[in-house]
Amino acid sequence: MLNDIQKVYYSEEHLADIVNRLGKQISEDYKDKNLLLVSVLKGSVIFMADLMRAITVPCAIDFMCVSSYANKTESSGVVKIIKDLDINLEGYDVLIVEDILDSGKTLSYIRKLLLDRNPKSIKICTLLDKPERRAVDDIWADYSGAEVPDEFVVGYGLDYDEKYRNLPFIGVLKREIYEK
Ligand code: IMP
Ligand code: MG
C-alpha cells in the first residue's frame, strides 16, 4: 500500500494539529447554538471521529451516504442518496463534515436537500479544499483544514477505488495507479 504513495502531504501529527484548530474554532462559534454534525460517508468518517472529540460543546451527530462518482477520480454531478439522515433537522445548526471539497457538485446537491428541511443554519466544514477545481459558485468551506493542489490524495478516510482509507496520513497517489 505504501509503495503506491508518491509523497506524504499531511502526517498524523500535522492532521491532529489541523483537527484541534478546527475543533477549537467550532466550539467557540457554536457555544450558544444547537450543533448537529452531519458526516458525509464514507470519506469523512475518520475526520468526523477525530473532529467530534476536538469539539468541547454539546453536539448531536448523524450520517448520510451519497454516491456521486461517474468514474473513480471525477465527480459526475449526479448524486444518489444511499443512506439518508435519521434526525429531523428542524431547530438544529447543521455543520456538514466532508473529507474534501473538489468540484463542489456533491455538496451543492446535499446542501440544497438539507436546506429544504428547515434547519436553523447550515455550514460546511471540510478537512481539505481543492479551490482550483471548483465547478459551482454556491459552495465554499466555512471551515477548512488545509488547501491542496489539483492532485489525487488518499488516506485518513479518503479512498481510490475503496482502498487506502486506513492510511493514517494523507498522501498523493502515484499517477500510474489511477491512469493504468
Ligand atoms: P465533488 O463533488 O467533486 O466536490 O467531490 C467530492 C468528493 O469526491 C469527496 O467527498 C471525495 O469523496 C471525492 N474526492 C475528490 N477529490 C478527491 C481526492 O483527491 N481523493 C479522494 N477522493 C476525492
Ligand atoms: Mg469518496
Side-chain angles (χ1 to χ4, degrees):
M1 194 162 59
L2 287 174
N3 284 337
D4 300 347
I5 303 302
Q6 187 194 316
K7 67 173 178 240
V8 175
Y9 255 148
Y10 296 107
S11 66
E12 271 186 90
E13 296 74 23
H14 198 153
L15 288 168
D17 286 347
I18 290 173
V19 171
N20 280 329
R21 172 178 59 79
L22 290 171
K24 271 208 189 88
Q25 185 68 52
I26 291 165
S27 304
E28 183 57 34
D29 297 351
Y30 283 83
K31 60 176 185 258
D32 301 316
K33 301 209 153 110
N34 191 19
L35 177 59
L36 171 64
L37 298 175
V38 168
S39 157
V40 184
L41 294 172
K42 305 171 205 169
S44 72
V45 71
I46 299 182
F47 177 42
M48 174 77 161
D50 285 344
L51 180 68
M52 61 190 276
R53 286 176 292 177
I55 291 174
T56 53
V57 296
C59 71
I61 64 167
D62 206 349
F63 297 86
M64 80 186 290
C65 186
V66 299
S67 97
S68 65
Y69 268 20
N71 64 45
K72 289 165 188 166
T73 61
E74 291 275 330
S75 204
S76 64
V78 180
V79 178
K80 192 168 101 189
I81 298 187
I82 313 275
K83 185 226 170 281
D84 206 338
L85 298 174
D86 300 327
I87 294 181
N88 177 347
L89 301 188
E90 272 177 49
Y92 277 110
D93 293 294
V94 172
L95 186 59
I96 300 175
V97 177
E98 252 286 36
D99 53 353
I100 187 164
L101 188 48
D102 189 37
S103 74
K105 290 176 188 169
T106 310
L107 273 186
S108 180
Y109 179 89
I110 292 178
R111 190 168 168 276
K112 284 194 193 96
L113 183 88
L114 301 189
L115 267 176
D116 277 346
R117 300 180 185 179
N118 294 319
K120 257 204 278 183
S121 65
I122 292 197
K123 287 195 173 181
I124 291 170
C125 174
T126 187
L127 176 64
L128 302 176
D129 192 3
K130 279 185 188 169
E132 283 172 53
R133 297 257 307 167
R134 202 76 79 251
V136 297
D137 56 14
D138 62 340
I139 288 296
W140 58 88
D142 299 288
Y143 301 92
S144 160
E147 288 192 0
V148 284
D150 184 9
E151 285 179 293
F152 200 80
V153 291
V154 293
Y156 197 71
L158 290 113
D159 73 308
Y160 169 70
D161 201 13
E162 297 299 332
K163 284 197 287 274
Y164 311 103
R165 294 193 197 275
N166 56 324
L167 289 173
F169 56 83
I170 287 182
V172 180
L173 193 61
K174 286 183 181 162
R175 268 186 184 274
E176 67 224 48
I177 306 292
Y178 56 92
E179 282 177 352
K180 74 186 168 199

